[in-house]
Amino acid sequence: MSYTPPGQDPYAQQPDPNAQPNPYGQPQPPVQQPYEQPGLQQPYAQPWGGAPVKQNNGLALAAMIVGILAIPSACCALLGIAVGAAGAIMGHISMKQIAQQGQANRSQALTGIICGYVGLGLGILNAIAGAALSLNGGFGSF
């Protein structure tokens, strides 16, 4: 047995001089550039080159919500017509605002327009079908 000086671990493993370096070991820190100060982190760059973030149009979001609600509300003819028309009109107004002010959520306004017109059309079809059935005397009389 060999002598271990005080303060050292007698059971510590001695490094193997023939061992290959561990490819999964901790990465070495990058070499510091001469113009960098030690200990200071470089500021993060803007993700898109500093382009300003566009604002969203609140009316476009409201048009999308009302337009989507117009489709199931078309089960009641007058409600479907009213809600569908409101969604389509709000969508058109918000599209104009988005074009003038350069805002971001054009797709929400377009969804409000499309769903509003679909709800409006379904409401009109429901009203026509309801009127035709009541003029014929309903389902019971043939």
Side-chain angles (χ1 to χ4, degrees), residues 72-81 123 126:
S73 67
C75 292
C76 176
L78 294 179
L79 185 63
I81 292 171
N126 193 3

Side-chain angles (χ1 to χ4, degrees), residues 62-92:
M64 181 183 73
I65 293 170
V66 172
I68 291 172
L69 288 176
I71 294 173
S73 67
C75 292
C76 176
L78 294 179
L79 185 63
I81 292 171
V83 175
I89 290 170
M90 288 168 51
H92 282 293

Side-chain angles (χ1 to χ4, degrees), residues 33-128:
Q33 300 296 327
Y35 57 85
E36 291 181 358
Q37 294 180 1
L40 294 179
Q41 182 178 5
Q42 292 294 323
Y44 293 109
Q46 293 292 328
W48 295 285
V53 177
K54 291 183 177 183
Q55 289 183 338
N56 285 336
N57 188 311
L59 187 61
L61 177 63
M64 181 183 73
I65 293 170
V66 172
I68 291 172
L69 288 176
I71 294 173
S73 67
C75 292
C76 176
L78 294 179
L79 185 63
I81 292 171
V83 175
I89 290 170
M90 288 168 51
H92 282 293
I93 292 172
S94 64
M95 285 285 272
K96 183 181 282 189
Q97 289 176 354
I98 288 169
Q100 289 173 348
Q101 299 170 4
Q103 293 172 327
N105 52 345
R106 183 178 181 272
S107 60
Q108 289 179 343
L110 190 60
T111 302
I113 292 171
I114 293 169
C115 291
Y117 280 134
V118 168
L120 179 68
L122 290 174
I124 290 172
L125 287 175
N126 193 3
I128 292 171

